[in-house]
Amino acid sequence: MNDGALNYIYQAETYTDAYTRLLARSNLPDKTVKIYDKTPRYMKYLPQVMEKVDVPVVCVVRDPRGVYWSAQKHWDSTKMELGRSKKIYEWLIAANKPVWLRTISQRYFERRRDLIKMDAFCEYYQTYGRAYRQAAERFGDRILLVQYDALCARPVEETRRIYEFLGLAFDEIYLTFPERPDQYVDRGGIRAELALEYRAHIGRRDQMRILRNTKEFSEWHWRDS
């Protein structure tokens, strides 16, 4: 969903109107079904949404390294434009330059592409965080901040906290899932390793770069040891 569609949705005056707009902009062929939308970019508009809709909000945040790895699995880096460095790399191939030179150029190109993507992600992450802070300053009693990493490490305690905030009774059975095919449900349940998957895929140097570039929200950096 692009920013234009999100703007159209969050400008609704009531929750019912917002839901109707969301359903209209969805790709679902059956517009009569009930849907749950977890578009992270709504967080950019959290102050505006909470100003119009008087509902409690559970805001789930995650260590930026985990968010970056999750996003990286869905990005298409081949569409990124890197200007001069990409042109040089393409010229080396077209000119049939030595393999070693093309290899070095390719590695440089890929690394530069990754760093640009990483730094852009960090800025987006902080943009969402700033919107949360603005909303918390104005509507603090209606917002519960939940750390995804803590939820994975302590599912019972954190889920109970969410239910209490919403004024609902909690039962640990809610943390089990039905035995039916569903591509969006992890059969292993909520567990700590879900939050730490990024460690096997993001090098230490890049992890430190992400933490450094999101230090404005260092309280969201998960420290499990």
Side-chain angles (χ1 to χ4, degrees):
M1 190 174 294
N2 58 36
D3 285 339
L6 291 178
N7 284 331
Y8 172 72
I9 293 169
Y10 92 76
Q11 287 175 0
E13 293 298 328
T14 66
Y15 177 80
T16 301
D17 187 22
Y19 183 85
T20 300
R21 294 184 180 203
L22 169 63
L23 194 59
R25 290 300 177 94
S26 74
N27 295 324
L28 294 173
D30 182 2
K31 301 298 184 181
T32 64
V33 300
K34 293 182 179 180
I35 62 174
Y36 167 76
D37 182 25
K38 59 178 290 293
T39 304
R41 281 179 294 170
Y42 284 130
M43 193 167 173
K44 291 173 59 177
Y45 308 106
L46 190 56
Q48 297 94 319
V49 171
M50 296 192 70
E51 185 176 55
K52 296 179 179 180
V53 184
D54 185 14
V55 295
V57 172
V58 177
C59 188
V60 182
V61 299
R62 185 178 182 181
D63 184 293
R65 294 165 293 184
V67 181
Y68 177 74
W69 167 240
S70 179
Q72 191 177 42
K73 291 185 288 186
H74 301 94
W75 282 337
D76 183 358
S77 297
T78 62
K79 295 181 179 179
M80 294 187 66
E81 291 296 333
L82 297 181
R84 183 175 177 80
S85 63
K86 183 177 181 180
K87 291 180 180 179
I88 292 175
Y89 172 60
E90 292 174 343
W91 175 80
L92 289 172
I93 295 177
N96 197 28
K97 294 298 181 180
V99 174
W100 67 267
L101 185 57
R102 282 182 282 164
T103 300
I104 292 175
S105 177
Q106 180 180 12
R107 289 176 179 173
Y108 169 78
F109 168 74
E110 292 175 348
R111 180 59 181 165
R112 184 163 182 263
R113 178 192 63 195
D114 290 344
L115 292 179
I116 290 175
K117 180 175 62 176
M118 190 182 303
D119 292 347
F121 157 79
C122 290
E123 183 52 38
Y124 274 117
Y125 184 91
Q126 296 195 135
T127 297
Y128 296 165
R130 292 168 193 143
Y132 161 76
R133 283 180 176 170
Q134 291 175 14
E137 289 175 359
R138 298 176 58 189
F139 311 103
D141 59 331
R142 286 168 46 200
I143 299 181
L144 175 67
L145 184 69
V146 176
Q147 182 93 18
Y148 171 84
D149 314 83
L151 180 63
C152 290
R154 303 184 296 272
V156 174
E157 294 86 344
E158 291 298 311
T159 306
R160 178 178 287 112
R161 192 164 68 92
I162 294 172
Y163 271 72
E164 289 176 351
F165 172 74
L166 297 175
L168 302 173
F170 171 70
D171 192 308
E172 291 187 26
I173 197 173
Y174 298 157
L175 294 176
T176 61
F177 303 99
E179 292 296 330
R180 61 183 178 81
D182 192 325
Q183 62 175 321
Y184 300 110
V185 175
D186 189 317
R187 296 299 165 203
I190 302 174
R191 56 197 187 280
E193 52 264 36
L194 291 176
L196 303 177
E197 181 184 286
Y198 70 85
R199 291 183 175 179
H201 304 278
I202 303 177
R204 182 65 177 171
R205 181 175 60 171
D206 286 349
Q207 288 186 40
M208 295 306 296
R209 185 185 185 97
I210 292 172
L211 293 179
R212 184 170 61 251
N213 289 350
T214 58
K215 62 182 179 181
E216 183 179 340
F217 295 90
S218 59
E219 67 271 24
W220 295 353
H221 297 170
W222 180 246
R223 299 171 178 84
D224 64 323
S225 59

